[in-house]
Amino acid sequence: MDLEKRHIKQIDWAIIVILLALCAFSYIGISGSAKGIDAAMKQVLWYTFGFGILAVTLLFDYRVYHSLAYVFYAIGIILLIGVFWAEPINNTTSWYNLKVVLFQPSEPMKLFTILVVARLLAKHAEDENRFYYFYQLIPVGLIVAVPLLLILLQPDLGSSLVYCGILVTMLIVGGIRMKHVLYLGTLAVSFFGAMVLIYMYKQPLFFKIIKPYQWNRVVSWMDPDLEAMGQGFHLKQSLIAIGSGQLLGKGVNAPTQASFGWVPVGESDFIFTVIAEKLGFVGAGLLMILFFFLIYRMIRIAMEAKDPFGSYVVAGVVGMLTFQVFENIGMTIQLMPITGIPLPFISYGGSSLLTNFLIMGVVLNIGMRKDKLRFD
């Protein structure tokens, strides 16, 4: 352990306050969903455990995560492979049923992937010719591609997209060249173009690549009226509930569409809808402001970190959380297609919440040990 008084003084207490405020929003949202008060109280219990994990994470110098990055990554890959022999839940093999909690290995794997990519980028941080050639991107791409493909096979498209957000953010911060951005953009456009042609002329092949339920999400996003009781129905109920909240909301204890079960998965995927209905535009806006300040404080930590490894780790976390917040809130207001991405620190679930606290512990650890060594 390497915790001193000077370290404690440098903890970013603003982030702690933000996390406590997010806990309050989480309680309001979950208690207002069909799950009710019991689930909200369980979430408070997970929050308590989460702060304990955060505190333990602060005891060790974050450079230990640099040393063990590949060990963590290997453990994560083993867990992702092992989950295929676990009992399927909701037609996916994404969780281990530990009785007390459903453990989703793709959650901590986000942190493990960030640590390995950050270690690789930090190794070449002083090299002005890093990423000069396109092939130099391959090691970073492979590190992210392995867990991404394993998660796609579960299948869990939402979680796999988060890894894309992590990769893009860390490459930008790591100094990727504009010409390579153009190459990658061309590849992405070519892929989507090919998928359009396959859909138009070879639909059986298209639905072997894209699952029907995944395509239905895209269709219902573009026109919710096309599905009477499918994803389109869910989206319409979300929009109605958010609109009914108006400026100040219906109130914390007032009956809502969410509490009557009209909003699907209101305790998790659509928890922003529940909060917007209960607290209105003002409450929903305040929640987004909290996320904005959380990301802002993390960016400051990344800029002030004492070494490139710390900066890259925090940058990866910023990319991860920003993507999750944007996708989750965006899907409830028809800005993005519906996916199963939870709203960080708000959605119900112990596995995701505890992982996020572990990640925030690493971020705060980097921030409290930002002082560079000085010799008098």
Side-chain angles (χ1 to χ4, degrees):
M1 291 188 292
D2 179 38
L3 187 63
E4 303 175 8
K5 285 186 177 180
R6 62 185 179 88
H7 292 146
I8 296 176
K9 291 179 180 179
Q10 294 189 109
I11 292 177
D12 194 326
W13 293 102
I15 288 181
I16 302 296
V17 172
I18 291 171
L19 293 178
L20 289 171
L22 292 177
C23 176
F25 273 100
S26 180
Y27 180 86
I28 292 171
I30 296 171
S31 63
S33 70
K35 287 285 186 178
I37 297 294
D38 290 341
M41 292 304 298
K42 288 182 181 178
Q43 185 77 344
V44 173
L45 181 62
W46 289 123
Y47 252 96
T48 304
F49 287 138
F51 275 110
I53 289 174
L54 186 151
V56 172
T57 308
L58 299 180
L59 297 177
F60 306 92
D61 191 309
Y62 71 88
R63 284 172 291 188
V64 71
Y65 306 118
H66 178 280
S67 303
L68 298 174
Y70 287 106
V71 175
F72 291 144
Y73 184 84
I75 292 172
I77 293 298
I78 292 171
L79 290 174
L80 285 177
I81 295 173
V83 81
F84 290 109
W85 283 269
E87 181 182 354
I89 299 174
N90 295 330
N91 297 318
T92 65
T93 52
S94 301
W95 293 273
Y96 289 100
N97 190 346
L98 303 181
K99 305 303 180 182
V100 178
V101 64
L102 294 176
F103 172 65
Q104 190 173 10
S106 61
E107 290 295 326
M109 191 65 206
K110 296 172 187 175
L111 173 61
F112 303 158
T113 303
I114 289 172
L115 291 175
V116 174
V117 174
R119 176 169 171 166
L120 185 61
L121 293 176
K123 182 179 179 181
H124 303 285
E126 303 301 325
D127 183 4
E128 295 182 357
N129 292 321
R130 66 186 184 279
F131 300 148
Y132 185 81
Y133 298 103
F134 188 75
Y135 71 84
Q136 292 173 308
L137 299 174
I138 294 177
V140 177
L142 288 175
I143 289 169
V144 179
V146 174
L148 188 153
L149 292 174
L150 288 172
I151 293 167
L152 276 176
L153 291 173
Q154 292 178 358
D156 186 355
L157 178 62
S159 294
S160 62
L161 290 175
V162 177
Y163 285 79
C164 295
I166 292 171
L167 176 62
V168 171
T169 304
M170 297 189 75
L171 284 178
I172 291 173
V173 175
I176 186 173
R177 297 176 183 273
M178 183 56 65
K179 63 179 181 180
H180 296 155
V181 174
L182 294 176
Y183 294 160
L184 293 173
T186 301
L187 287 174
V189 171
S190 299
F191 171 78
F192 286 112
M195 294 303 295
V196 170
L197 291 174
I198 293 173
Y199 177 78
M200 292 174 62
Y201 299 107
K202 297 287 184 180
Q203 284 200 17
L205 176 59
F206 178 84
F207 286 111
K208 286 184 179 180
I209 302 172
I210 304 296
K211 302 297 182 183
Y213 78 90
Q214 294 172 338
W215 178 244
N216 288 339
R217 290 180 176 180
V218 176
V219 171
S220 62
W221 167 52
M222 294 186 292
D223 189 352
D225 291 325
L226 291 178
E227 286 192 282
M229 293 299 292
Q231 297 291 338
F233 175 79
H234 295 165
L235 177 57
K236 288 170 69 175
Q237 292 301 317
S238 174
L239 293 172
I240 291 170
I242 291 173
S244 67
Q246 300 185 45
L247 182 63
L248 298 177
K250 296 178 179 178
V252 174
N253 298 316
T256 61
Q257 282 185 263
S259 59
F260 288 126
W262 286 98
V263 176
V265 205
E267 75 284 356
S268 180
D269 295 356
F270 283 86
I271 194 167
F272 180 80
T273 300
V274 181
I275 292 171
E277 186 180 17
K278 294 176 77 71
L279 302 181
F281 177 81
V282 172
L286 178 58
L287 175 59
M288 288 189 283
I289 290 172
L290 285 173
F291 278 121
F292 172 82
F293 276 109
L294 177 62
I295 292 168
Y296 164 73
R297 299 300 300 186
M298 288 193 293
I299 291 174
R300 286 196 57 178
I301 290 174
M303 295 175 65
E304 297 173 355
K306 68 180 179 182
D307 57 29
F309 174 73
S311 296
Y312 291 138
V313 169
V314 181
V317 175
V318 168
M320 180 194 77
L321 289 180
T322 301
F323 181 85
Q324 288 185 247
V325 171
F326 180 77
E327 168 58 34
N328 181 276
I329 295 178
M331 75 180 189
T332 66
I333 57 176
Q334 204 179 353
L335 186 63
M336 297 291 288
I338 294 176
T339 63
I341 295 178
L343 188 58
F345 299 104
I346 305 295
S347 294
Y348 177 75
S351 182
S352 173
L353 184 63
L354 295 182
T355 299
N356 284 331
F357 267 102
L358 173 63
I359 291 172
M360 290 310 303
V362 174
V363 171
L364 289 172
N365 195 324
I366 293 170
M368 64 192 284
R369 292 180 170 87
K370 61 187 177 183
D371 289 342
K372 295 179 172 62
L373 295 175
R374 289 190 291 265
F375 298 92
D376 297 326

